[in-house]
PDB file of all heavy atoms in Angstrom:
ATOM      1  N   PHE A1542     -13.898  48.277 -55.529  1.00 86.00           N
ATOM      2  CA  PHE A1542     -14.562  48.471 -54.280  1.00 86.00           C
ATOM      3  C   PHE A1542     -15.546  47.243 -53.957  1.00 86.00           C
ATOM      4  O   PHE A1542     -15.554  46.693 -52.926  1.00 86.00           O
ATOM      5  CB  PHE A1542     -15.469  49.693 -54.352  1.00 86.00           C
ATOM      6  CG  PHE A1542     -16.369  49.947 -53.345  1.00 86.00           C
ATOM      7  CD1 PHE A1542     -15.970  50.536 -51.958  1.00 86.00           C
ATOM      8  CD2 PHE A1542     -17.802  49.583 -53.431  1.00 86.00           C
ATOM      9  CE1 PHE A1542     -16.898  50.703 -50.979  1.00 86.00           C
ATOM     10  CE2 PHE A1542     -18.604  49.849 -52.400  1.00 86.00           C
ATOM     11  CZ  PHE A1542     -18.136  50.386 -51.167  1.00 86.00           C
ATOM     12  N   LEU A1543     -16.389  46.946 -54.988  1.00 84.00           N
ATOM     13  CA  LEU A1543     -17.247  45.737 -54.805  1.00 84.00           C
ATOM     14  C   LEU A1543     -16.632  44.386 -54.646  1.00 84.00           C
ATOM     15  O   LEU A1543     -17.067  43.520 -54.021  1.00 84.00           O
ATOM     16  CB  LEU A1543     -18.354  45.778 -56.077  1.00 84.00           C
ATOM     17  CG  LEU A1543     -19.306  46.999 -55.957  1.00 84.00           C
ATOM     18  CD1 LEU A1543     -20.211  46.810 -57.196  1.00 84.00           C
ATOM     19  CD2 LEU A1543     -20.042  47.021 -54.764  1.00 84.00           C
ATOM     20  N   LEU A1544     -15.464  44.189 -55.536  1.00 86.00           N
ATOM     21  CA  LEU A1544     -14.727  42.996 -55.283  1.00 86.00           C
ATOM     22  C   LEU A1544     -14.195  42.858 -53.978  1.00 86.00           C
ATOM     23  O   LEU A1544     -14.120  41.762 -53.383  1.00 86.00           O
ATOM     24  CB  LEU A1544     -13.595  42.931 -56.376  1.00 86.00           C
ATOM     25  CG  LEU A1544     -12.726  41.725 -56.367  1.00 86.00           C
ATOM     26  CD1 LEU A1544     -13.578  40.379 -56.618  1.00 86.00           C
ATOM     27  CD2 LEU A1544     -11.603  41.846 -57.438  1.00 86.00           C
ATOM     28  N   ALA A1545     -13.712  43.982 -53.341  1.00 87.00           N
ATOM     29  CA  ALA A1545     -13.210  43.804 -52.003  1.00 87.00           C
ATOM     30  C   ALA A1545     -14.236  43.633 -51.048  1.00 87.00           C
ATOM     31  O   ALA A1545     -13.988  42.691 -50.132  1.00 87.00           O
ATOM     32  CB  ALA A1545     -12.485  45.174 -51.678  1.00 87.00           C
ATOM     33  N   ARG A1546     -15.461  44.087 -51.213  1.00 85.00           N
ATOM     34  CA  ARG A1546     -16.522  43.843 -50.208  1.00 85.00           C
ATOM     35  C   ARG A1546     -16.942  42.357 -50.341  1.00 85.00           C
ATOM     36  O   ARG A1546     -17.286  41.675 -49.446  1.00 85.00           O
ATOM     37  CB  ARG A1546     -17.739  44.704 -50.564  1.00 85.00           C
ATOM     38  CG  ARG A1546     -17.563  46.077 -50.250  1.00 85.00           C
ATOM     39  CD  ARG A1546     -18.762  47.000 -50.427  1.00 85.00           C
ATOM     40  NE  ARG A1546     -19.778  46.442 -49.559  1.00 85.00           N
ATOM     41  CZ  ARG A1546     -21.031  47.098 -49.367  1.00 85.00           C
ATOM     42  NH1 ARG A1546     -21.332  48.127 -50.070  1.00 85.00           N
ATOM     43  NH2 ARG A1546     -21.844  46.520 -48.564  1.00 85.00           N
ATOM     44  N   ASN A1547     -16.796  41.805 -51.523  1.00 83.00           N
ATOM     45  CA  ASN A1547     -17.143  40.348 -51.802  1.00 83.00           C
ATOM     46  C   ASN A1547     -16.002  39.432 -51.037  1.00 83.00           C
ATOM     47  O   ASN A1547     -16.445  38.523 -50.386  1.00 83.00           O
ATOM     48  CB  ASN A1547     -17.108  40.070 -53.350  1.00 83.00           C
ATOM     49  CG  ASN A1547     -17.310  38.620 -53.620  1.00 83.00           C
ATOM     50  OD1 ASN A1547     -16.341  37.779 -53.744  1.00 83.00           O
ATOM     51  ND2 ASN A1547     -18.607  38.172 -53.819  1.00 83.00           N
ATOM     52  N   ILE A1548     -14.871  39.901 -51.178  1.00 86.00           N
ATOM     53  CA  ILE A1548     -13.733  39.094 -50.505  1.00 86.00           C
ATOM     54  C   ILE A1548     -13.944  39.190 -48.889  1.00 86.00           C
ATOM     55  O   ILE A1548     -13.692  38.207 -48.316  1.00 86.00           O
ATOM     56  CB  ILE A1548     -12.378  39.714 -50.895  1.00 86.00           C
ATOM     57  CG1 ILE A1548     -12.200  39.441 -52.379  1.00 86.00           C
ATOM     58  CG2 ILE A1548     -11.263  38.955 -50.097  1.00 86.00           C
ATOM     59  CD1 ILE A1548     -10.934  40.128 -52.944  1.00 86.00           C
ATOM     60  N   LEU A1549     -14.337  40.350 -48.398  1.00 86.00           N
ATOM     61  CA  LEU A1549     -14.410  40.534 -47.045  1.00 86.00           C
ATOM     62  C   LEU A1549     -15.593  39.836 -46.382  1.00 86.00           C
ATOM     63  O   LEU A1549     -15.843  39.879 -45.206  1.00 86.00           O
ATOM     64  CB  LEU A1549     -14.546  42.045 -46.668  1.00 86.00           C
ATOM     65  CG  LEU A1549     -13.225  42.775 -46.996  1.00 86.00           C
ATOM     66  CD1 LEU A1549     -13.362  44.349 -46.876  1.00 86.00           C
ATOM     67  CD2 LEU A1549     -12.080  42.416 -46.005  1.00 86.00           C
ATOM     68  N   GLN A1550     -16.515  39.217 -47.152  1.00 84.00           N
ATOM     69  CA  GLN A1550     -17.629  38.567 -46.620  1.00 84.00           C
ATOM     70  C   GLN A1550     -17.201  37.245 -45.738  1.00 84.00           C
ATOM     71  O   GLN A1550     -18.019  36.943 -44.876  1.00 84.00           O
ATOM     72  CB  GLN A1550     -18.609  38.093 -47.765  1.00 84.00           C
ATOM     73  CG  GLN A1550     -19.416  39.235 -48.401  1.00 84.00           C
ATOM     74  CD  GLN A1550     -20.234  38.804 -49.499  1.00 84.00           C
ATOM     75  OE1 GLN A1550     -20.353  37.576 -49.876  1.00 84.00           O
ATOM     76  NE2 GLN A1550     -20.917  39.808 -50.170  1.00 84.00           N
ATOM     77  N   TYR A1551     -16.100  36.665 -46.156  1.00 84.00           N
ATOM     78  CA  TYR A1551     -15.719  35.535 -45.368  1.00 84.00           C
ATOM     79  C   TYR A1551     -14.384  35.884 -44.456  1.00 84.00           C
ATOM     80  O   TYR A1551     -13.525  36.644 -44.854  1.00 84.00           O
ATOM     81  CB  TYR A1551     -15.128  34.468 -46.275  1.00 84.00           C
ATOM     82  CG  TYR A1551     -14.698  33.188 -45.791  1.00 84.00           C
ATOM     83  CD1 TYR A1551     -15.600  32.288 -45.293  1.00 84.00           C
ATOM     84  CD2 TYR A1551     -13.335  32.885 -45.464  1.00 84.00           C
ATOM     85  CE1 TYR A1551     -15.180  31.071 -44.734  1.00 84.00           C
ATOM     86  CE2 TYR A1551     -13.006  31.749 -44.801  1.00 84.00           C
ATOM     87  CZ  TYR A1551     -13.901  30.852 -44.412  1.00 84.00           C
ATOM     88  OH  TYR A1551     -13.458  29.710 -43.825  1.00 84.00           O
ATOM     89  N   GLU A1552     -14.515  35.531 -43.250  1.00 86.00           N
ATOM     90  CA  GLU A1552     -13.480  35.744 -42.210  1.00 86.00           C
ATOM     91  C   GLU A1552     -12.776  34.502 -41.767  1.00 86.00           C
ATOM     92  O   GLU A1552     -13.395  33.403 -41.845  1.00 86.00           O
ATOM     93  CB  GLU A1552     -14.031  36.409 -41.026  1.00 86.00           C
ATOM     94  CG  GLU A1552     -14.418  37.949 -41.303  1.00 86.00           C
ATOM     95  CD  GLU A1552     -14.827  38.701 -40.048  1.00 86.00           C
ATOM     96  OE1 GLU A1552     -14.752  38.009 -38.930  1.00 86.00           O
ATOM     97  OE2 GLU A1552     -15.137  39.731 -40.118  1.00 86.00           O
ATOM     98  N   PRO A1553     -11.559  34.519 -41.402  1.00 90.00           N
ATOM     99  CA  PRO A1553     -10.897  33.346 -40.814  1.00 90.00           C
ATOM    100  C   PRO A1553     -11.748  32.711 -39.703  1.00 90.00           C
ATOM    101  O   PRO A1553     -12.155  33.411 -38.830  1.00 90.00           O
ATOM    102  CB  PRO A1553      -9.536  33.791 -40.429  1.00 90.00           C
ATOM    103  CG  PRO A1553      -9.360  35.065 -41.193  1.00 90.00           C
ATOM    104  CD  PRO A1553     -10.702  35.651 -41.406  1.00 90.00           C
ATOM    105  N   PRO A1554     -11.792  31.441 -39.629  1.00 91.00           N
ATOM    106  CA  PRO A1554     -12.605  30.768 -38.589  1.00 91.00           C
ATOM    107  C   PRO A1554     -11.817  30.687 -37.249  1.00 91.00           C
ATOM    108  O   PRO A1554     -11.447  29.660 -36.744  1.00 91.00           O
ATOM    109  CB  PRO A1554     -12.906  29.279 -39.065  1.00 91.00           C
ATOM    110  CG  PRO A1554     -11.488  29.049 -39.911  1.00 91.00           C
ATOM    111  CD  PRO A1554     -11.128  30.344 -40.597  1.00 91.00           C
ATOM    112  N   ILE A1555     -11.794  31.801 -36.573  1.00 89.00           N
ATOM    113  CA  ILE A1555     -11.218  31.975 -35.266  1.00 89.00           C
ATOM    114  C   ILE A1555     -11.946  32.837 -34.398  1.00 89.00           C
ATOM    115  O   ILE A1555     -12.344  33.946 -34.883  1.00 89.00           O
ATOM    116  CB  ILE A1555      -9.684  32.428 -35.281  1.00 89.00           C
ATOM    117  CG1 ILE A1555      -9.035  32.254 -33.970  1.00 89.00           C
ATOM    118  CG2 ILE A1555      -9.523  33.734 -35.864  1.00 89.00           C
ATOM    119  CD1 ILE A1555      -7.524  32.375 -33.975  1.00 89.00           C
TER     120      ILE A1555
END
Side-chain angles (χ1 to χ4, degrees):
F1542 171 82
L1543 293 181
L1544 180 59
R1546 292 188 60 179
N1547 177 270
I1548 295 171
L1549 291 169
Q1550 289 178 3
Y1551 183 84
E1552 291 187 354
I1555 187 168

